[in-house]
Amino acid sequence: MFEDRDETLTALSTTLGQLRAEFSSDQEILSMFSQPMYWSELVASRPCFLVGGRGTGKTTTLRALGYRRQARTAGFDPGSWNLVGAYWRVETNLTAAFTGPRIGDDRWIAVFSHYVNLRLCMAVLDYLAWAESEHSVRAVSPAALEPFFASLNLERQLEVSAIQRHIRVLTAELEANLNGSPQDLDRMPLSLLGRPVQLLLEAATEEVLPLGTFFAFCIDEYENLLPYQQRVVNTLIKHVGDARYTFKVGVRSTTPGERSTLARDQPLHDPADYTTVRIVDHLKEQSFQDFATAVCAKRLASGLGWHGDVAELFPALSIESEATILGVESRLEQLRHQLASEGATKAELCELSTLTPMSQYIVEYWATAQQESRLEVLKAALADPVRWRTRVGNYSYAALFTIRSGKRGTRKHYTGWSTICLLAEGNIRILLRLVHEALRIHLSSSDALAPVSPEDQTAAAVRIGETILRELQAQTVHGAGVTRLTLSLGRVFGALAAAPEGRTPEVNEFRVKFGAKQAAVGDAETLLAAAVASGALDAFDGNKEGRSTGGTKRPDYRLMPIFAPYFVYSHRKKRRLTLTSEQIASLASNNPGRTITKLLQKGSSPAPAVELPDQLLFYEDFFDEA
């Protein structure tokens, strides 16, 4: 371990700070990669769509399939590898170049198909050249290359490295012609989709591609392809059974994407043509917490030489302990005075004092929430203690949000390793940011890597939530609207948590009721889709009745849990409210105050006055009338 705090902070910054960014080399992947629990499903020979939002680990996993990593892990023995993988990240600036009125749609399909051929052949040739230079094996049979040369109109080359250089030149010439005249593109000799790479792999020797081993093209950010370009790639995926290659495709969970091919009557079908691995679903089913623990333990061990239990660094608070920290005793003093003024006897007050502090406070909470007298609630609690214990168990967590309502400082703690994992919602990037920030705050005032205090854990969660909120602006063209919608929804959920009068507790989900105005419906759908795509909202199956009644299936939504500490409401998936498409538009506008106030009203009763948490004071003018 390191000798002083500065040295530890430097090591921590180097170790965990690197994890917040994308890996830049295969060596970093090898040293930092923790095999996910869906790995065995991913490395099968069938094509696979790896589905997940930003930060769920798609890129790291796809790059970990690369042949260089497998050689370092298992030695150069392609026959023992799962796949021979090569990574390709789709760049929007390049795909956008393959469009425009200069040539017809059919010609663009042919040109882009040729480009895909060149990119895939380049990936294979990079592997073959690497195998020859690094491992001194014969990668191809020269005689078997003749059909490949013919498919691309290439002159016969004797060396893999020479072929590699030639393909690189052809690719550069094609990219240059994209900015030239239409005649430049018309004059270009093109190849048949998929044929060159198939012929090239057939020429590979058993030493680099043994019988039964597939070459896997790991395509990341599939959503950056234009619809017609997705159809080109889908066509290759549809027919992988005819060749010795397969595809592993990374795509955001919110992108519907094309599933049609160039043959309009032959779309891709799941599971007939490919499998789908939904990262978050797999992690939830197989314990994201276990995966997160393994990831963080490896990094802390390699960077800081720390080999303890990660969960012990982030201890949780019991409800009773947190209530005490939040100052429940002062609230109980007020409760006793109020009960005495309502006529409570000394015996009733004495019996009240035998209950735990939180059980006592639920008398106040329940009376406020149900708008009953405190004395009536106390009498009911003392008359039926079994029923009261059940109520205390059901409402204690929600009651924590009201103890310091309206006061400055921390109003609710978010502590414990399980809570941190829930806040990340299957997103390993967010989890690493939470860990990094919590340890950074902790080590700024401590000389050792030790359990992080509840205050520091909560401060880290608030800061990361705020950081991600600010990042939403740049995630999509609708970023401004998504940011405003997130702010408004967070304010609604936070105010409901702090003021329970006449309401169900822990409201943090919503369903949208779409009206008859198609323009409003379209605007709301676009905004919600952008919010999900940018990671602000989580969409999940709703309208269970629709499955049996034939109704239109619509998702329900919630803000991603990482925002809960920032807006101060429950991160647990609980109850929902219903919003109209018009209200969605209003909440995403520059003046959401009136709509927020209306949502906080209960019948004819005025909306409760709930002061903004300290961290939201920056947005005081935005909320204005709320």
Side-chain angles (χ1 to χ4, degrees):
M1 200 58 193
F2 300 94
E3 294 182 356
D4 57 49
R5 188 170 65 209
D6 290 341
E7 187 179 357
T8 303
L9 277 171
T10 300
L12 175 70
S13 178
T14 301
T15 301
L16 294 182
Q18 289 175 344
L19 306 178
R20 295 169 53 184
E22 295 293 338
F23 291 116
S24 60
S25 71
D26 289 331
Q27 181 60 46
E28 288 177 326
I29 292 174
L30 177 60
S31 62
M32 296 296 187
F33 179 69
S34 292
Q35 189 167 293
M37 298 175 187
Y38 54 81
W39 183 258
S40 60
E41 188 172 350
L42 178 67
V43 297
S45 60
R46 297 189 68 225
C48 174
F49 278 82
L50 185 62
V51 182
R54 295 178 66 250
T56 52
K58 295 189 308 297
T59 297
T60 302
T61 301
L62 290 173
R63 293 183 67 180
L65 286 169
Y67 55 85
R68 292 176 185 269
R69 176 190 177 270
Q70 297 204 67
R72 291 192 183 100
T73 302
F76 182 74
D77 182 12
S80 68
W81 298 353
N82 295 305
L83 299 164
V84 179
Y87 179 80
W88 174 18
R89 176 179 172 272
V90 176
E91 300 171 347
T92 53
N93 62 324
L94 191 62
T95 58
F98 287 87
T99 186
R102 292 175 296 159
I103 61 175
D105 292 344
D106 289 343
R107 185 63 178 177
W108 273 126
I109 291 174
V111 170
F112 184 73
S113 296
H114 180 60
Y115 174 74
V116 169
N117 284 339
L118 294 176
R119 285 299 299 259
L120 299 185
C121 287
M122 194 70 235
V124 174
L125 288 166
D126 286 345
Y127 166 63
L128 299 179
W130 169 83
E132 287 192 344
S133 63
E134 297 292 326
H135 300 281
S136 303
V137 298
R138 186 172 61 93
V140 294
S141 170
L145 280 172
E146 295 296 340
F148 165 72
F149 294 140
S151 70
L152 284 173
N153 295 304
L154 289 179
E155 294 182 2
R156 188 174 184 277
Q157 308 287 333
L158 296 178
E159 302 291 337
V160 170
S161 57
I163 304 172
Q164 188 183 30
R165 288 193 297 272
H166 200 160
I167 295 296
R168 187 174 285 115
V169 170
L170 287 179
T171 303
E173 289 176 348
L174 171 56
E175 292 172 353
N177 285 337
L178 293 176
N179 293 321
S181 66
Q183 292 75 21
D184 293 334
L185 291 173
D186 284 338
R187 287 193 295 265
M188 285 185 59
L190 304 179
S191 55
L192 184 64
L193 178 64
R195 185 62 66 189
V197 69
Q198 180 178 353
L199 295 172
L200 178 59
L201 288 171
E202 289 175 356
T205 65
E206 289 281 322
E207 293 175 272
V208 294
L209 197 68
L211 188 64
T213 300
F214 278 69
F215 196 97
F217 297 105
C218 304
I219 301 179
D220 199 7
E221 300 190 23
Y222 169 89
E223 65 275 2
N224 289 341
L225 293 170
L226 300 176
Y228 90 84
Q229 295 166 352
Q230 291 180 4
R231 291 197 295 273
V232 169
V233 174
N234 291 348
T235 302
L236 290 172
I237 294 173
K238 182 79 173 179
H239 299 288
V240 293
D242 302 331
R244 298 187 63 186
Y245 59 83
T246 188
F247 287 89
K248 308 298 174 180
V249 180
V251 60
R252 285 194 184 182
S253 55
T254 57
T255 305
E258 281 279 346
R259 288 298 178 265
S260 57
T261 66
L262 295 179
R264 296 286 182 169
D265 59 342
Q266 297 181 26
L268 289 179
H269 292 289
D270 181 5
D273 299 312
Y274 64 94
T275 59
T276 301
V277 173
R278 299 187 181 278
I279 297 175
V280 172
D281 290 348
H282 273 262
L283 292 176
K284 286 180 179 178
E285 291 172 4
Q286 302 178 25
S287 180
F288 173 68
Q289 184 170 328
D290 291 343
F291 175 63
T293 300
V295 170
C296 289
K298 181 178 290 187
R299 284 145 179 77
L300 289 171
S302 64
L304 298 178
W306 188 85
H307 298 279
D309 184 351
V310 175
E312 291 181 359
L313 287 177
F314 303 96
L317 279 175
S318 69
I319 288 179
E320 290 288 348
S321 297
E322 181 166 6
T324 300
I325 293 174
L326 292 174
V328 71
E329 288 297 339
S330 64
R331 296 296 299 266
L332 295 182
E333 289 181 13
Q334 298 173 22
L335 173 63
R336 294 185 191 102
H337 287 303
Q338 291 165 335
L339 284 170
S341 68
E342 291 180 10
T345 66
K346 289 184 178 180
E348 288 170 333
L349 291 175
C350 182
E351 198 167 352
L352 172 68
S353 65
T354 64
L355 302 177
T356 66
M358 201 61 199
S359 185
Q360 294 180 55
Y361 181 68
I362 294 298
V363 173
E364 167 73 23
Y365 175 84
W366 191 256
T368 302
Q370 301 301 313
Q371 298 175 324
E372 299 176 6
S373 77
R374 292 164 181 80
L375 182 56
E376 289 176 353
V377 175
L378 174 60
K379 288 179 179 293
L382 299 178
D384 192 345
V386 174
R387 184 179 182 186
W388 186 250
R389 282 196 297 272
T390 300
R391 181 169 293 168
V392 171
N394 290 338
Y395 291 93
S396 288
Y397 186 81
L400 289 172
F401 290 87
T402 67
I403 293 175
R404 288 185 56 85
S405 179
K407 296 182 179 180
R408 295 300 182 198
T410 300
R411 299 184 185 180
K412 174 71 180 70
H413 293 94
Y414 297 80
T415 64
W417 183 238
S418 61
T419 295
I420 288 176
C421 292
L422 288 173
L423 292 177
E425 184 66 5
N427 190 307
I428 196 65
R429 183 183 301 169
I430 291 177
L431 181 128
L432 290 169
R433 294 172 77 169
L434 284 168
V435 170
H436 175 271
E437 185 65 13
L439 294 180
R440 188 194 66 78
I441 295 172
H442 166 72
L443 288 171
S444 66
S445 59
S446 174
D447 293 325
L449 196 60
V452 181
S453 69
E455 291 76 15
D456 288 348
Q457 291 185 57
T458 301
V462 170
R463 290 184 187 180
I464 296 305
E466 180 179 19
T467 299
I468 292 175
L469 173 68
R470 294 180 184 277
E471 290 173 351
L472 293 177
Q473 187 89 10
Q475 296 301 323
T476 167
V477 293
H478 303 284
V482 169
T483 301
R484 292 192 292 266
L485 178 63
T486 302
L487 280 167
S488 298
L489 289 170
R491 173 57 174 159
V492 169
F493 295 146
L496 290 175
E501 292 90 338
R503 306 174 188 280
T504 55
E506 296 189 73
V507 176
N508 55 14
E509 302 175 7
F510 66 96
R511 174 172 291 176
V512 181
K513 182 179 180 180
F514 293 91
K517 297 180 180 179
Q518 291 303 310
V521 170
D523 290 345
E525 289 180 331
T526 298
L527 183 61
L528 291 169
V532 175
S534 62
L537 292 181
D538 176 29
F540 54 94
D541 286 345
N543 189 21
K544 295 178 181 178
E545 296 82 3
R547 299 170 187 168
S548 57
T549 63
T552 301
K553 186 177 180 180
R554 297 268 192 185
D556 287 350
Y557 301 91
R558 66 167 178 161
L559 286 177
M560 293 301 287
I562 188 58
F563 294 119
Y566 184 65
F567 294 107
V568 196
Y569 64 87
S570 173
H571 65 284
R572 308 190 306 181
K573 194 172 183 179
K574 288 292 183 178
R575 297 166 181 85
R576 70 166 184 261
L577 53 81
T578 298
L579 305 175
T580 66
S581 49
E582 289 77 13
Q583 287 173 327
I584 291 292
S586 177
L587 293 174
S589 70
N590 288 315
N591 299 290
R594 291 184 179 179
T595 300
I596 293 175
T597 300
K598 184 177 180 180
L599 290 172
L600 296 178
Q601 289 177 339
K602 183 69 175 180
S604 58
S605 301
V610 179
E611 292 187 13
L612 291 170
D614 293 352
Q615 60 267 24
L616 285 179
L617 292 177
F618 178 80
Y619 296 102
E620 192 170 14
D621 291 340
F622 173 75
F623 294 120
D624 193 17
E625 301 175 39

